[in-house]
């Protein structure tokens, strides 16, 4: 005979909205690491380009000095070996103050001049890796906190169940 407090073969079913919430949670938790990986891959690609690409002079044609870090960019014009004019937008750090008309060194891939970077200025991957790191810390911290809360709740539930069992054995 079983106690009225015990349910037999109770299966937990995830409601459709619960499944959606779970999927959103997983996506949010994965966003930070995905951005970190994408940023690191971009940084590595730019470092490889600097080692193997063609180096040419370039001229700063525009500079957008904004207070928002992701909007501080400059446009650099350079010419490829075949004489074609190309442009590259580059992120600018807050400590850097480039001037329009200033000369810089540009490195581009000869087989694909659309892949270019400007020496002395950061890769776009730095921004993505930074955002990914912050998101991972925030959402990972929240996730760890929620897991700990859940485990503490399970522990309390077990303690209550054990107390109820003990009371039932000893006659109350």
């Amino acid at each position: 005979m079983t106690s009225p407090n015990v349910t037999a073969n109770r299966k937990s079913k995830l409601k459709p909205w619960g499944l959606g919430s779970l999927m959103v949670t997983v996506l949010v938790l994965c966003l930070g690491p995905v951005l970190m990986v994408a940023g690191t891959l971009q940084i590595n690609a730019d470092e490889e380009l600097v080692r193997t690409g063609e180096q040419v002079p370039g001229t700063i044609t525009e500079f957008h000095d904004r207070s928002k870090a992701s909007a501080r960019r400059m446009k650099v014009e350079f010419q490829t070996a075949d004489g074609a004019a190309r442009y590259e937008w580059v992120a600018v750090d807050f400590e850097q103050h480039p001037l329009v008309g200033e000369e810089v060194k540009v490195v581009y891939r000869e087989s694909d001049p659309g892949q270019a970077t400007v020496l002395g200025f950061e890769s776009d991957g730095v921004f993505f890796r930074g955002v990914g790191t912050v998101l991972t810390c925030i959402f990972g911290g929240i996730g760890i906190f929620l897991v700990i809360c859940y485990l503490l709740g399970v522990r309390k539930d077990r303690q209550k169940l054990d107390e109820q069992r003990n009371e039932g054995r000893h006659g109350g």
Side-chain angles (χ1 to χ4, degrees):
M1 182 163 172
T2 61
S3 166
N5 294 335
V6 177
T7 56
N9 293 330
R10 191 173 110 182
K11 293 183 180 179
S12 91
K13 291 186 178 182
L14 200 54
K15 306 267 189 255
W17 61 268
L19 182 59
S21 296
L22 179 63
M23 290 175 62
V24 168
T25 301
V26 169
L27 286 174
V28 167
L29 288 174
C30 291
L31 181 62
V34 166
L35 286 174
M36 287 172 59
V37 169
T40 300
L41 291 174
Q42 178 66 41
I43 291 167
N44 291 343
D46 286 347
E47 289 173 353
E48 176 67 19
L49 179 62
V50 168
R51 284 193 299 275
T52 62
E54 292 291 318
Q55 191 176 92
V56 295
T59 305
I60 300 171
T61 58
E62 289 181 45
F63 173 52
H64 300 274
D65 192 7
R66 308 262 165 70
S67 60
K68 187 176 175 186
S70 61
R72 287 195 91 224
R73 302 184 70 72
M74 68 179 185
K75 184 179 180 181
V76 176
E77 180 181 355
F78 65 98
Q79 286 191 340
T80 59
D82 62 0
R86 304 290 282 193
Y87 297 93
E88 180 69 18
W89 283 95
V90 182
V92 179
D93 197 2
F94 277 110
E95 291 83 33
Q96 296 172 313
H97 303 284
L99 301 171
V100 172
E102 185 179 350
E103 263 202 24
V104 291
K105 293 286 183 194
V106 178
V107 179
Y108 72 96
R109 188 167 317 285
E110 195 170 5
S111 61
D112 181 10
Q115 292 183 358
T117 189
V118 179
L119 297 180
F121 294 90
E122 68 184 29
S123 166
D124 286 337
V126 172
F127 172 76
F128 290 115
R129 187 170 64 182
V131 169
T133 301
V134 169
L135 290 177
T136 299
C137 290
I138 291 171
F139 294 128
I142 291 171
I144 290 170
F145 174 76
L146 292 175
V147 166
I148 289 171
C149 289
Y150 172 77
L151 293 175
L152 290 174
V154 167
R155 183 175 171 214
K156 284 183 181 179
D157 289 345
R158 284 185 182 162
Q159 286 175 345
K160 285 181 185 177
L161 187 60
D162 288 342
E163 287 172 9
Q164 288 174 355
R165 286 182 186 157
N166 288 335
E167 287 175 10
R169 284 186 200 152
H170 300 295

